[in-house]
Amino acid sequence: PASPRAAPAAEATDDDSLECKPKPGRKRAASDGEGEDAYAPPSASDSSSSESEADDAGDDDDDDDDRAGAGAAELSPTRRLPAAMVNEMLSRHEAFFGAAGHAKVRAATVVVFGLGGVGSHCAAMLLRAGVAGLRMVDFDQVSLSSLNRHAVATLADVGSPKAACMGTFAAATAPFVRVDARVAMVTAENAEALLAPLEGSDAKPDLVVDCIDDVETKAALLATCARLGIKALSACGAGAKADPTRWCVAPLADAVHDPLAAKLRWALGKRGVTVGGAELALDADRPAPPEAIDCTCVYSHEPPRVGLLPLTDQQIKEGASSFGAVDVDHFRVRVMPVLGAAPAMAGQALASVALCGLAGAPATGKPREALSKKLCLKLLESLRKREARRELGPKVQPVACTWLDCGVDDAEYVVNDVWRGRCAATRRKLDRKPLVLCRWWRSLRPPRPHGCAWPADAPPVGADALICLAPPLADALDAALDAVNCLDKASMTELK
């Protein structure tokens, strides 16, 4: 059956190159699923001025079908479009990022590994954003079962390489983007070659997007990125997830409640790659922590709703290779149930983070799920107790602290948004050990005069005066604050 997008067919060529030269077309009808405003390059039957523009742009007169090679090794030739057309296609992004940010995106080169449910959505949006060059790598083929989540594949693409499918989509959607589609499985041995500059460029890629679902393969790729100094984005588990409110963006070290992220940190550690986030010792002479991999991940902290499907007796008898699985030792063989919308959300989130970062306006996501109201109230009660006993005496109840102007939202903001759920001094994670809120030395509240109570009109203590610390450090800081607060006037002058 013909593809609903009327995209060119994908076939192998002798030189294994992926050529993206879409046939001329017309404005598609709304019944094609693209809407009345969907645009295809003008056909030869259009006005003579359109023909002249197409000829000037260097279009081929040959009407043969487009070709897409499996394992393409060359950069696909780009098709020039009138500048006004390209500018209009990308005008909303330019308005969003501004001229300078948009120019950075247009000059960027990105490599996407894995073109399944997550990677296809991410790659499609990078193409629509008009990056300068995009290398897309995947060894697998489009299957019927992958159509529930793939961004662009249709029934006509079943059996063809996912890389070729995305190359055809690129030709029909953004022919001005240089596309290098590779049908290849990334390994530790070939990862560096797949990260080489695109043809005609001497610069390494600006960004790598890892949408692979196998831990060992992800680790091999990210370890190579760390060695070459290439920034990476990584997608964690999207299978068996459904809740759109549970998606987070964070450094790999801070991804919590995601089994794939935990396994990936372990696999990278085996390869000697530091992911960062380790708790630091309280030692003035401590060595500087090793430089961590520059990897941000998109993950969901939602517990999996379903488990892997069991193998049938026939599958067990015949072996993995007999029912479509790749016969590689570390590849998962059992099937993961997937709601098609979940990988789409992950892929779109990756594209958003990638484009904002490339434009110089990085997105700042929460590194963990929101704190529960119960935990926030517990942190605030501990803070009131600490404040009351430091200011009014060791036996004073927390209710006596009337100068604290902080609520549940303030506690959530300080712990998660400011300090990323970690101790400000040691990086201790809130998940592993308790942390507390306390006042830091640059509080807006003035020092208490020696032997005097706080004046009634003293300004309250707000969220801007709080810090997140491990309990022993908070006690030490309180002692230092108390020493400063009890200084007499002469000592205060000397201190200043």
Side-chain angles (χ1 to χ4, degrees):
S3 168
R5 296 180 182 273
E11 301 177 9
T13 61
D14 293 336
D15 61 355
D16 286 336
S17 64
L18 185 69
E19 297 189 4
C20 299
K21 295 182 287 186
K23 286 184 178 181
R26 285 184 177 275
K27 190 173 183 179
R28 299 187 184 97
S31 59
D32 289 334
E34 294 292 331
E36 294 183 357
D37 292 333
Y39 182 84
S43 68
S45 60
D46 285 335
S47 65
S48 59
S49 61
S50 297
E51 292 177 358
S52 176
E53 288 179 356
D55 291 338
D56 291 342
D59 292 344
D60 272 340
D61 292 328
D62 190 355
D63 288 334
D64 291 340
D65 286 345
D66 301 318
R67 311 288 180 180
E74 296 181 3
L75 198 66
S76 64
T78 57
R79 177 172 180 266
R80 292 180 58 196
L81 297 177
M85 181 187 298
V86 176
N87 291 341
E88 179 62 23
M89 291 172 66
L90 305 177
S91 60
R92 299 301 188 269
H93 274 176
E94 184 173 11
F96 185 85
F97 289 125
H102 179 60
K104 294 177 182 178
V105 173
R106 295 283 285 126
T109 300
V110 185
V111 184
V112 177
F113 289 89
L115 300 172
V118 177
S120 62
H121 282 272
C122 178
M125 296 312 297
L126 293 173
L127 286 166
R128 293 184 185 277
V131 294
L134 182 64
R135 177 176 290 147
M136 300 179 288
V137 183
D138 198 309
F139 70 92
D140 205 1
Q141 296 177 339
V142 177
S143 64
L144 285 170
S145 63
S146 64
L147 295 182
N148 82 316
R149 57 193 182 276
H150 200 277
V152 302
T154 68
L155 283 171
D157 297 309
V158 172
S160 64
K162 292 178 180 178
C165 174
M166 291 301 302
T168 302
F169 172 79
T173 308
F176 46 85
V177 175
R178 294 178 299 160
V179 172
D180 182 7
R182 304 284 186 97
V183 182
M185 179 187 297
V186 63
T187 64
E189 290 72 27
N190 69 359
E192 185 169 352
L194 292 172
L195 293 173
L198 270 68
E199 183 181 345
S201 172
D202 296 328
K204 63 184 180 182
D206 297 286
L207 181 67
V208 167
V209 184
D210 157 38
C211 303
I212 302 169
D213 59 4
D214 174 67
V215 174
E216 292 296 327
T217 310
K218 291 173 81 73
L221 171 62
L222 294 178
T224 305
C225 290
R227 178 167 55 83
L228 298 178
I230 302 175
K231 180 175 176 56
L233 296 179
S234 183
C236 293
K241 308 290 181 73
D243 190 346
T245 67
R246 300 290 191 95
W247 289 97
C248 298
V249 178
L252 179 58
D254 289 336
V256 295
H257 305 316
D258 186 290
L260 183 59
K263 293 177 183 177
L264 181 56
R265 288 192 290 262
W266 173 79
L268 286 170
K270 284 199 311 178
R271 290 167 168 78
V273 178
T274 302
V275 298
E279 187 171 342
L280 302 178
L282 289 177
D283 184 357
D285 298 325
R286 68 190 179 199
E291 186 174 355
I293 182 175
D294 189 358
C295 179
T296 300
C297 65
V298 171
Y299 71 98
S300 170
H301 57 78
E302 178 187 12
R305 296 195 174 200
V306 291
L308 295 171
L309 298 182
L311 298 178
T312 65
D313 293 339
Q314 185 69 16
Q315 288 172 337
I316 294 174
K317 180 180 178 180
E318 295 180 358
S321 60
S322 65
F323 56 94
V326 178
D327 193 9
V328 178
D329 289 341
H330 53 77
F331 269 39
R332 171 172 48 81
V333 175
R334 293 168 61 190
V335 174
M336 172 70 76
V338 180
L339 176 68
M345 287 186 283
Q348 296 289 343
L350 282 169
S352 180
V353 174
L355 291 171
C356 288
L358 293 172
T364 305
K366 287 184 178 294
R368 46 174 293 128
E369 71 274 24
L371 301 181
S372 67
K373 184 177 180 180
K374 181 178 179 181
L375 179 55
C376 288
L377 291 173
K378 183 178 179 181
L379 289 169
L380 290 172
E381 185 69 8
S382 172
L383 175 60
R384 289 190 184 93
K385 180 179 178 180
R386 182 178 296 275
E387 285 284 312
R389 294 190 175 182
R390 186 182 65 219
E391 304 296 348
L392 303 177
K395 296 183 179 180
V396 177
Q397 296 300 311
V399 70
C401 175
T402 59
W403 54 86
L404 189 63
D405 184 22
C406 292
V408 170
D409 291 341
D410 298 307
E412 158 76 15
Y413 173 76
V414 172
V415 174
N416 262 357
D417 291 356
V418 177
W419 296 108
R420 304 294 186 183
R422 291 180 177 270
C423 171
T426 67
R427 301 184 188 171
R428 173 188 291 183
K429 293 183 72 171
L430 182 58
D431 300 62
R432 301 172 185 166
K433 298 177 183 178
L435 299 177
V436 297
L437 292 173
C438 68
R439 195 170 359 136
W440 64 306
W441 75 277
R442 282 190 180 276
S443 170
L444 295 179
R445 191 171 179 81
R448 173 164 53 90
H450 180 64
C452 302
W454 287 106
D457 60 346
V461 174
D464 55 347
L466 300 181
I467 194 171
C468 188
L469 288 174
L473 292 178
D475 293 340
L477 182 58
D478 279 347
L481 278 174
D482 188 62
V484 172
N485 287 340
C486 292
L487 290 174
D488 56 28
K489 186 175 181 180
S491 299
M492 282 295 297
T493 303
E494 181 180 352
L495 181 62
K496 289 180 181 180

